[in-house]
Amino acid sequence: MRTIDWIDGAIEIIDQTALPDKLSMLRLESHIELISAIQRLAVRGAPALGVAGAMGVALIAADSRYTSDEELIRSAAKSLLEARPTAVNLSWGVERALREIPHGPEAVLRTALEIRDAELANSLAMGARGSDFIQDLIQGPVNVMTICNTGGLAAVEYGTALSVVRSLFDDGALGTVLTLETRPLLQGARLTAWELKQLDIPFHLIVDSAGPFLLSRGAANIVLIGADRIAANGDTANKIGSYSLASAAARLAIPFIVVAPESTVDMSTATGEEIEIEDRGSSEITSFSDRRTTPEGVETMNPAFDVTPVELITALITESRVVRFDMGESLGVN
Ligand code: MRU
């Protein structure tokens, strides 16, 4: 089943807010509905957001209120790309689709569908390349620690880091997976655990703060994460908590691998310092299950992402290459 698709003139997504209780689809017929779905994280994950961005422009371009006015289309698309600021794929998808506006709504849709198909192929390629690379790096069973959700739900199907896990499993090389629950929205506990169960892949769910300690006890011999934006120097924005795992992994000489499509590499951002980090406000961390967990009026900081400096990253695996940062390789021109 695809996380996001274009069906009969509208976008259909798996509603990720309903998982793991219910697997249900949402039909989005306007870019306004799409913006709300993105902000609620009904659709999320970098590659899925790239497809959503491009399909969102296809919705705008096909809408008779916008069709004849390029300026109106561009301003609606701007509000779409601003729905979430950190994952570069969203603006990348929007901008690629916008280039087709002069050629009409069919051309825009064609591009959106091409992006969908390419991300699906990318996921499969990352899975195969990543599994081969890791089997060369690690002798014996590969025990993976991962954070957030980087599976099919974060892409069209298969995903990024979780696509590698899946290939390792299919190749008979996987020991187990330790998935961090991923506070505060629990993408690890709700979504990754759901996907791993569907796939019959063995795993343990752990709380976020147990990650570095369990690495020190040898519970995993590799960390695999996805990415929301990779700066030109290799600094990588991903779910909050990734940096703690990278710091621990570096101290313990455990490989720390980023798996992401080339569409997540942002050569126009020089370093991680320039990456805008979304703060999701206080309500996500001042209550739990609709019950307040803090005194009233507590001030919060709630960064949804962090930036792992390239010095802590062993390698980046994309659909087309492995970049060994630990051996001094760099992203170069892509
Ligand atoms: O806030 P989210 O759930 O959209 O965050 C997603 C992540 O951080 C993923 O790790 C990232 O998008 C890479 S996934 C393929």
Side-chain angles (χ1 to χ4, degrees):
M1 178 182 280
R2 288 181 174 174
T3 295
I4 180 163
D5 212 344
W6 181 270
I7 314 267
D8 296 334
I11 302 174
E12 286 200 0
I13 57 165
I14 294 179
D15 180 1
Q16 298 191 40
T17 62
L19 286 169
D21 299 333
K22 207 168 67 175
L23 177 59
S24 53
M25 304 303 292
L26 269 182
R27 191 170 163 79
L28 309 169
E29 300 195 335
S30 73
H31 74 287
I32 304 293
E33 289 175 3
L34 174 61
I35 290 172
S36 155
I38 290 172
Q39 288 173 336
R40 292 182 284 116
L41 272 55
V43 58
R44 48 149 294 286
L49 288 175
V51 178
M55 287 186 175
V57 177
L59 281 179
I60 299 167
D63 185 329
S64 55
R65 288 169 299 173
Y66 300 94
T67 314
S68 50
D69 189 333
E70 204 169 312
E71 270 323 293
L72 270 185
I73 293 178
R74 287 186 190 280
S75 92
K78 187 164 179 290
S79 58
L80 175 57
L81 73 79
E82 286 170 351
R84 289 194 82 193
T86 305
V88 68
N89 295 62
L90 179 58
S91 50
W92 174 88
V94 167
E95 274 153 17
R96 273 202 49 189
L98 275 178
R99 277 190 235 143
E100 298 302 319
I101 292 290
H103 308 295
E106 293 81 17
V108 177
L109 178 59
R110 211 164 30 247
T111 294
L113 299 182
E114 277 167 19
I115 292 175
R116 174 200 64 191
D117 296 345
E119 289 299 6
L120 211 164
N122 292 343
S123 284
L124 288 170
M126 284 184 279
R129 185 181 302 280
S131 178
D132 288 350
F133 174 71
I134 290 165
Q135 289 181 66
D136 282 345
L137 203 63
I138 290 175
Q139 308 311 314
V142 181
N143 297 318
V144 174
M145 186 171 286
T146 191
I147 186 167
C148 198
N149 171 265
T150 62
L153 291 168
V156 179
E157 277 186 76
Y158 302 99
T160 59
L162 222 62
S163 179
V164 175
V165 166
R166 201 169 162 157
S167 296
L168 285 165
F169 181 64
D170 291 344
D171 293 347
L174 186 74
T176 191
V177 180
L178 272 67
T179 178
L180 274 68
E181 62 177 349
T182 318
R183 285 267 303 142
L185 296 180
L186 304 177
Q187 289 93 329
R190 293 188 304 106
L191 308 177
T192 302
W194 181 80
E195 286 198 48
L196 291 172
K197 265 187 116 30
Q198 301 278 317
L199 296 166
D200 266 334
I201 293 178
F203 72 97
H204 290 82
L205 177 67
I206 62 173
V207 297
D208 297 348
S209 41
F213 171 66
L214 287 170
L215 283 180
S216 79
R217 287 290 167 103
N221 50 12
I222 194 162
V223 180
L224 293 185
I225 67 161
D228 290 275
R229 186 183 298 247
I230 301 170
N233 72 339
D235 291 351
T236 293
N238 190 52
K239 182 52 59 191
I240 190 77
S242 302
Y243 181 28
S244 324
L245 290 183
S247 306
R251 183 180 156 82
L252 297 160
I254 290 172
F256 183 91
I257 312 282
V258 177
V259 186
E262 295 287 339
S263 52
T264 305
V265 176
D266 176 12
M267 295 303 281
S268 68
T269 296
T271 72
E273 271 183 43
E274 292 174 21
I275 299 176
E276 183 183 347
I277 298 295
E278 175 183 12
D279 185 297
R280 293 192 53 87
S282 56
S283 63
E284 289 177 358
I285 54 173
T286 54
S287 64
F288 199 80
S289 271
D290 290 334
R291 181 174 172 269
R292 181 197 299 282
T293 52
T294 65
E296 258 191 85
V298 164
E299 290 191 28
T300 61
M301 290 184 194
N302 182 18
F305 304 96
D306 59 26
V307 177
T308 299
V310 66
E311 299 79 39
L312 302 183
I313 302 173
T314 309
L316 164 68
I317 293 164
T318 78
E319 68 276 21
S320 55
R321 56 182 170 159
V322 175
V323 184
R324 290 289 302 253
F325 293 128
D326 65 338
M327 293 187 167
E329 290 180 7
S330 61
L331 286 166
V333 181
N334 73 339

